[in-house]
Amino acid sequence: MTDQRNTNANALTLIAKTQSLIAAGDITGAEAALVELADAEGDQALMVVLEQLPPKDILAVIREYDTSKESVINLLVTPEQFARAVVIEKQYKDLTRTHLRGMMNSIIFREDADTVEFLTAIGDLEGGAEALADYFSEKWSRIEAFARTGTFDTMEDDGDMLSESALLGSAYVKPRVEEDEVADQDWMQLAWILRHKIPDLFIEMLLVLRAKARAYDAGLSEEDEEEDDDRVETSATDRGQATPAARDSDEESAI
């Protein structure tokens, strides 16, 4: 019992230290503190702490990915924890999506990851389809080609977009390319997995992506887009209602 109390006390102390470092902008220091815990007390101790950290703090650490090294936090974060972080990443207003794509690729394609489980967890949250659309924002035409022809070659595409009913009708077609042909651990593989393993989420994401593309063509900013009556609303979908993302005032103000 004493050992358990000590463990809980140590966890609370580390959580307070981590949050203080993040609030001060010392993300490297916060990650180092978490890594030190894992080295000293094992991965399970770190997982206990991660379970108690708010999504905004987990996000602050994992979005600062470094492709030159593996992060123990990225290796241990669960699909649910990751999903809650992903849906609030847009609050950083990084229009390049560099951090979003980097952390998505580094975590959902990690060696032990069930990519479908991670993507499903994201899709089950309100804002999940929007986060995935943001991930693909620079590849819109290639994703449309993939939806229509089954390949990423825009030369095969005739330029017409499939209607929502046509997308639903083609949801379970046989792949024209196999996953190992696009296994780049990047956007192509992610799109392939979505279309052929989670087609309903792929369609939902594509509809949001189209709305974002229309807003961009109309010269709307992201703030205008959010107020656009023609935008695709995903909060009322089955996925959106499943497990709404926590967005209390503390999370909103911390980013």
Side-chain angles (χ1 to χ4, degrees):
M1 183 67 70
T2 300
D3 289 343
Q4 183 61 46
R5 283 199 296 267
N6 289 338
T7 298
N8 291 338
N10 290 341
L12 290 173
T13 299
L14 182 63
I15 289 169
K17 178 181 179 181
T18 301
Q19 291 186 292
S20 177
L21 289 168
I22 290 172
D26 186 1
I27 308 302
T28 300
E31 182 177 12
L34 295 171
V35 171
E36 183 179 346
L37 172 69
D39 290 341
E41 300 186 30
D43 291 351
Q44 190 60 43
L46 176 57
M47 292 179 73
V48 169
V49 170
L50 291 178
E51 288 172 0
Q52 299 179 63
L53 278 175
K56 64 181 177 59
D57 292 330
I58 292 178
L59 172 61
V61 175
I62 63 177
R63 80 188 297 271
E64 298 297 331
Y65 70 99
D66 182 350
T67 56
S68 67
K69 64 181 179 67
E70 284 190 332
S71 165
V72 67
I73 294 91
N74 286 20
L75 290 173
L76 294 178
V77 68
T78 67
E80 292 74 21
Q81 291 166 349
F82 182 62
R84 289 192 291 270
V86 165
V87 297
I88 61 173
E89 201 278 339
K90 67 178 181 179
Q91 294 174 29
Y92 279 92
K93 301 188 184 301
D94 173 20
L95 300 183
T96 68
R97 317 298 186 198
T98 301
H99 289 278
L100 175 63
R101 288 192 295 270
M103 72 177 190
M104 288 272 290
N105 291 346
S106 68
I107 291 176
I108 67 173
F109 290 120
R110 72 191 190 196
E111 188 173 346
D112 69 329
D114 182 336
T115 304
V116 170
E117 184 179 3
F118 273 89
L119 292 173
T120 299
I122 294 170
D124 282 343
L125 290 180
E126 180 180 348
E130 181 182 357
L132 291 171
D134 285 340
Y135 173 95
F136 290 113
S137 59
E138 292 187 353
K139 306 295 182 183
W140 175 66
S141 63
R142 304 285 296 277
I143 297 300
E144 284 288 358
F146 182 54
R148 184 172 182 80
T149 69
T151 78
F152 295 100
D153 185 359
T154 56
M155 296 297 291
E156 288 193 35
D157 192 12
D158 61 11
D160 292 331
M161 293 189 297
L162 293 180
S163 66
E164 184 174 353
S165 59
L167 284 171
L168 290 169
S170 65
Y172 295 95
V173 297
K174 183 179 179 181
R176 283 191 60 187
V177 296
E178 297 302 321
E179 183 178 1
D180 59 4
E181 297 179 63
V182 292
D184 57 355
Q185 296 193 344
D186 199 353
W187 68 273
M188 280 191 183
Q189 187 172 5
L190 188 58
W192 192 99
I193 292 170
L194 280 172
R195 184 184 182 196
H196 294 298
K197 295 186 178 181
I198 327 174
D200 56 335
L201 180 54
F202 176 76
I203 293 169
E204 186 178 347
M205 176 280 298
L206 182 56
L207 294 177
V208 177
L209 187 58
R210 287 176 177 179
K212 288 180 174 291
R214 289 197 301 270
Y216 179 83
D217 288 342
L220 299 177
S221 67
E222 291 216 341
E223 288 77 9
D224 294 330
E225 178 190 341
E226 290 177 2
E227 297 175 359
D228 184 2
D229 291 338
D230 292 330
R231 71 188 176 94
V232 175
E233 177 58 66
T234 60
S235 61
T237 64
D238 290 340
R239 287 185 175 278
Q241 292 180 345
T243 45
R247 292 186 184 180
D248 57 30
S249 58
D250 179 54
E251 286 189 13
E252 293 287 350
S253 63
I255 297 178

